[in-house]
Amino acid sequence: MNTIQVYGPGCAKCASLAEVTKQAVQELQWDVPVKKVTDPMLFASAGVLVTPALVMNGKVLLSGKVPSVEAVKGLLQEADGACQQGGCCGSREEKAESSGGCACSGGGDRKEQAESAGGCGCGEGGCCGGGKPGCGGWKKAVVWIAAVLVLLAVVKLVNRSGKESAGADAVAVPVMQEGVEAVYYQYGARCPTCVKMEGWIKEALEGSFADALKDGRLVFRSIPADAETVRHYGMTTKSLIVSNRKQGKEADWKNLERIWDLNGDEAAFKEYVVQEVRKQVDGVE
């Protein structure tokens, strides 16, 4: 069964690629879910160096851009065809036997080319750039491995610093007794979109709830999310959680998930935040 995943921290391009991919899958009439992967620790292990990235059956089809629906359909169909045929490198010996030559089904002439080229017959170590050393495939592998190791080191450093700051902030943040608490939780690596949204949230609240912020009925915080917070709210990326607190305990809460869908429209973004926060603030007035 095919697996389709969109890798990214939750930025605008990530959401757009996910929607384009879902539409492509629908038009292809495939019964395959499109899953979002937002954990930076999983990016490197999947071979994703630039986000957003589209991955099918463990193979990175594209990264760093959002193509058209038709382009995505073509990539998915091509990947699906390669999978059904056992892959470009799958069962190379069987292909060679059935075609009378190279695994690339070129017949006798290809076989002679393979012998002279020292590889599959494709001149560069076969369809997959593998073949014997000297065909160039090993150079690509070394570069790829080095890039993955660098990315792993960066992600590890970011996550470690995030955990340290999360632990410090968890001690310093006071517990609100009564009122509404709007918290923008930082989870994973910070991106320009994340910083932009944090600023819009603060501007929206200060512009519409100046009195509530002043008298303490509403509090806004921007803090790192620790492991317990992530589990409690079921977070997969940065989130704006609005909670109603009574006698020092959380009575109810809501994750304003649409901030990711609206991060390209400042006016709509702020209107959505104000409307949702007002529902809670009006309830405690």
Side-chain angles (χ1 to χ4, degrees), residues 25-53:
V25 170
Q26 290 176 353
E27 292 185 9
L28 290 172
Q29 297 183 341
W30 288 3
D31 185 19
V32 180
V34 177
K35 299 181 179 179
K36 296 181 181 179
V37 180
T38 58
D39 188 347
M41 290 300 294
L42 300 178
F43 295 176
S45 61
V48 175
L49 301 181
V50 180
T51 60

Side-chain angles (χ1 to χ4, degrees), residues 87-98:
C88 178
C89 295
S91 189
R92 177 172 288 196
E93 293 79 5
E94 294 178 5
K95 291 180 182 178
E97 292 176 359
S98 62

Side-chain angles (χ1 to χ4, degrees), residues 91-242:
S91 189
R92 177 172 288 196
E93 293 79 5
E94 294 178 5
K95 291 180 182 178
E97 292 176 359
S98 62
S99 62
C102 160
C104 299
S105 66
D109 293 338
R110 288 277 186 141
K111 186 175 182 180
E112 293 175 4
Q113 293 174 9
E115 294 173 355
S116 63
C120 155
C122 299
E124 288 295 333
C127 303
C128 299
K132 297 180 180 180
C135 291
W138 66 272
K139 295 181 180 179
K140 296 179 182 179
V142 170
V143 173
W144 183 256
I145 292 173
V148 170
L149 290 175
V150 170
L151 181 60
L152 280 171
V154 172
V155 170
K156 184 177 180 180
L157 179 62
V158 170
N159 284 349
R160 183 173 62 184
S161 61
K163 289 178 180 178
E164 292 172 353
S165 61
D169 289 344
V171 176
V173 174
V175 176
M176 188 177 189
Q177 296 298 315
E178 298 283 341
V180 177
E181 191 174 43
V183 183
Y184 181 68
Y185 283 107
Q186 305 159 18
Y187 177 51
R190 298 272 278 171
C191 64
T193 300
C194 311
V195 176
K196 176 187 69 176
M197 291 196 305
E198 180 180 337
W200 285 359
I201 293 168
K202 185 177 181 181
E203 291 172 5
L205 298 181
E206 291 178 347
S208 299
F209 303 99
D211 291 340
L213 288 167
K214 185 176 181 180
D215 61 30
R217 285 175 294 135
L218 173 64
V219 172
F220 171 65
R221 312 183 200 279
S222 177
I223 58 177
D226 56 22
E228 182 179 351
T229 300
V230 171
R231 287 193 298 268
H232 177 62
Y233 295 119
M235 293 166 51
T236 58
T237 185
K238 292 84 178 170
S239 303
L240 175 58
I241 305 295
V242 179

Side-chain angles (χ1 to χ4, degrees), residues 44-60:
S45 61
V48 175
L49 301 181
V50 180
T51 60
L54 175 61
V55 176
M56 178 171 173
N57 299 331
K59 179 182 179 182
V60 180

